[in-house]
Amino acid sequence: MKQKEIINKLTNEEKAAMLSGKTVWQTREIDRLDIPSIFCADGPHGIRKQAGEGDHLGLNASLPATCFPTAATIANSWNDKLGEEIGKALGEEAASQGVNVLLGPGLNIKRSPLCGRNFEYFSEDPYLSGKMAAAYIKGIQGQGVCACPKHFAVNSQEERRMAMNAVIDERTLREIYLTGFEIAVEEGKAGALMTSYNQVNGQYANENKHLLQDILRDEWGFEGMVITDWGGSNDHVEGVKVRSNLEMPAPGLDSARQLLKALEEGRLSQKELDQCTEDLLNGILKWSNTNTGQGFDQEAHHKLAQKAAAESIVLLKNQEDILPLRSKARVALIGDFAIEPRYQGAGSSMVNPTRLETMEEVIKDSELTILGCVKGYERSGKADAAMRKAAIDLAEKADVVLFCFGLDELSESEGIDRSHMRIPQNQIELLEDLGKVNPNIVGVLSAGSAIEMPWQHCLKGILHTYLGGQAGARAVLDIVTGKENPSGRLAESYPIHYEDTPGFCYFPAHQRDSQYRESLFVGYRYYDSAKVRVLYPFGYGLSYSSFEYTDLKITEQGVSCVVKNTSQIDGAEVVQLYIGKDSEKVFRPEKELKGYQKVFIKAGESQEVQILFDDKSFRYWNVKTNRWEIEAGEYHIYIGASSMDIKLTGELVQTGTGAEAPYIKEEMEHYFSAIVNEVSDEEYKALLGKDIPNGKWEGKIGSNDAICQLYYAKSGIARFIYKRLTAMKNKSMEKGKPDLNILFIYNMPLRAIAKMTGGAVSSDMVNGMVTVVNGHFFKGIKRIIGGFFTNRRGNKRYEDTLSTKK
Ligand code: BGC
């Protein structure tokens, strides 16, 4: 034990108190032993440090910070070095604001394009997600700030995110949903990790022994702090037993009292309490000295945000080489997003930018001849004939139209999933009208996740900017004018229709259980294997340059090939390594990403590109031996410019680890054929290796049921609360801006009331509320009132114990 001396000096009251937050963002200090408090802040693409009142939903203002492009955007750069540079800048800003723990990056897998937080996550692929996350972590922690990758694990939907259960087989868990975290922990050496709200196979992630102890600590050797998501703790005692070290935000001392009670009753051992305290203490002592108190170079970080955006923009279409535009081209700039950009998503990641550039402003600095800039449409989707006419009149006079459009705010927010993949219809109608007066339209698309594009024939060029951060506008301009050569490649697939997605039948779960029936077949793993056509494949993106691939060499160590820039323009290519294997024993996706490299190659020059194999290249998780194995035989090695644009192929034989075959093919045909939207109950059962949980609701509201389920409550008051909240939620939706508070409360389980009220409500009081909700009004009220006084007394007494120790 590293901190044996301090642990011996701490009382059990102090230890128990330290294991939950003091305020929304801070840990509890113990002055008499000089144990400081550390400060946590979001987030993944910019610091959200709230100087005033804190909240975890991005509601109150935070200090100005650089708003970098979101993770979904940066993943398109396929450039780990860039990720590290951004991490470094984030770390510097965090340190300058006295933030010790930065709550990011977010690296959940994009199981479905509809998840409301996809903009905050990197990719549908675990390898790319893990590598990018590790790069951010290295950058952040290099500045003495602790990174806290999140949300561990299998957190794929926002609907009822705190009250849902991911039903998933061990292989899918390991290969798809954990591999990114494994890389973030092992390569990135993350100092902390945030658990997710949901359950995984019937146990909350935060108290899941399999995830937190067996895998994270024992297999991956994680030594850092495990922190709950805000309000995500269910049973603090169970969490502490599996070394979840810090319950956030500030549940008051009710949680600490629960720990002491469990200790007294022998449900928690002294060793477990000490171990958990020590993990936290190690973290606090390691990361408490980050405050440089110095400012940061705002201009330099703004420029970095611009460079990052430019490297991450994906050129999807460039018919007749419409881009780059010739200087002096007469341009009509159309679209609300040109004037008020969509550059980040909503929720806890929301940054208050140091400045914000718009296309309308920056385009004036170019050599283009700007004929005008008009809004064209209302972003809320409302029709506006006058706006439309002004746009058409302007388009008519121009050589080329730059049409800025995309997803509105409501579509990209924490707390709510999208219900479809379309962009607002009024934007499409305008686009069609513009096409009638001007055939030369370049679409500048802002959207943090995949969308359907049935309108793409109306555009000659499409630049997908994702959510480009505060300096995104200038990055777009540089690509439009040819000052920068686009080099972004999609980190997720673009299906033609939402119905084509593998999770279509299974996502999102509206009740407690979410069945991960599609197994490994997420994103391109499904489209490529099941031969489903997509609009734009994973890894796809155009450049103003062209490249030629030759000379594939495969050795035991890795692959190499030569890439030539056959154009007149310097440019960058992303060389992607995929590996696949035909097998009758182990079902697999046709190919999987196992390495990549972004190379900058001057016009006419060639470069040898080397990608080494690693421990993840050939492995699969065997559910019989319960470990990683390598199947013997011949593997297909693919070098591609996207998952569907394979340039070079070869073979490599592996001797394998000789493990027994994990599956009986006849029992799970749809997994072997990858037609996973037709998986039967029997096949899913075979995949899980056990019965499918019945998922039936017990007919009585419990403390783990979400507030949106009060619909079923026996109590009229509870149903009234449900109706009021639903009406408030719908009203805010109509306004086009999500009300995050309402959404959070709506999807929150009753137990979280005790965790989110700073000690005012105890879990005993919540039990009283549950009793009321289930129709026992007087019994419940008695418990609430009794609980209120007991809690107040208990808090006061506990505070006194802590302060007399000073
Ligand atoms: C989010 C986390 C975030 C935390 C603190 C939660 O609602 O899920 O990602 O870090 O709030 O703001």
Side-chain angles (χ1 to χ4, degrees), residues 501-701:
T501 61
F504 171 65
C505 312
Y506 318 125
F507 182 98
H510 297 298
Q511 295 300 330
R512 178 162 286 272
D513 285 344
S514 173
Q515 300 188 348
Y516 283 62
R517 278 196 192 219
E518 73 282 12
S519 178
L520 312 174
F521 297 94
V522 174
Y524 72 92
R525 283 173 167 75
Y526 169 68
Y527 304 117
D528 290 6
S529 313
K531 309 288 174 242
V532 174
R533 275 201 322 128
V534 295
L535 189 58
Y536 296 115
F538 176 78
Y540 169 87
L542 300 173
S543 160
Y544 296 151
S545 309
S546 48
F547 300 94
E548 195 180 85
Y549 291 60
T550 53
D551 292 322
L552 174 65
K553 290 196 190 95
I554 304 172
T555 67
E556 286 296 314
Q557 283 70 46
V559 294
S560 69
C561 67
V562 173
V563 180
K564 182 170 185 196
N565 181 342
T566 51
S567 70
Q568 316 279 311
I569 310 165
D570 299 350
E573 175 71 323
V574 177
V575 181
Q576 301 159 35
L577 164 69
Y578 296 90
I579 299 182
K581 182 176 190 326
D582 307 320
S583 171
E584 294 293 304
K585 289 187 190 155
V586 186
F587 69 82
R588 298 163 181 272
E590 184 190 86
K591 57 175 118 54
E592 298 181 274
L593 184 77
K594 297 291 178 178
Y596 57 90
Q597 218 184 99
K598 187 168 200 177
V599 279
F600 294 85
I601 310 176
K602 289 206 166 312
E605 291 188 2
S606 298
Q607 200 165 306
E608 191 185 63
V609 179
Q610 242 200 357
I611 303 177
L612 296 178
F613 299 134
D614 60 25
D615 61 324
K616 311 206 169 44
S617 303
F618 300 100
R619 72 179 195 179
Y620 76 96
W621 184 262
N622 185 310
V623 288
K624 282 267 154 63
T625 62
N626 212 13
R627 41 177 263 191
W628 295 107
E629 303 282 2
I630 295 175
E631 194 184 356
E634 191 177 74
Y635 285 77
H636 306 298
I637 307 289
Y638 306 97
I639 294 290
S642 82
S643 79
M644 287 193 179
D645 183 11
I646 299 303
K647 306 285 190 186
L648 304 166
T649 55
E651 261 70 47
L652 183 71
V653 172
Q654 293 287 302
T655 43
T657 46
E660 63 175 310
Y663 305 115
I664 300 167
K665 187 177 173 195
E666 296 66 41
E667 284 182 0
M668 29 198 339
E669 288 291 351
H670 285 111
Y671 288 111
F672 278 83
S673 65
I675 312 297
V676 286
N677 41 13
E678 290 177 21
V679 167
S680 68
D681 282 357
E682 290 312 309
E683 288 175 304
Y684 185 41
K685 239 162 87 176
L687 178 80
L688 291 174
K690 57 179 185 218
D691 282 344
I692 306 168
N694 76 19
K696 281 210 188 99
W697 186 61
E698 281 158 14
K700 220 170 109 186
I701 304 266

Side-chain angles (χ1 to χ4, degrees), residues 25 42 48 55-58 103 117 120 150-151 155 161 194 197 229-230 348-349 414 744:
W25 303 115
D42 288 304
R48 184 173 70 93
D55 70 80
H56 69 114
L57 298 171
L103 304 174
R117 280 184 100 169
E120 273 188 74
K150 59 191 187 184
H151 311 85
N155 179 183
R161 61 180 166 155
M194 186 190 290
Y197 285 129
D229 198 344
W230 267 231
S348 61
S349 67
E414 181 173 336
F744 186 81

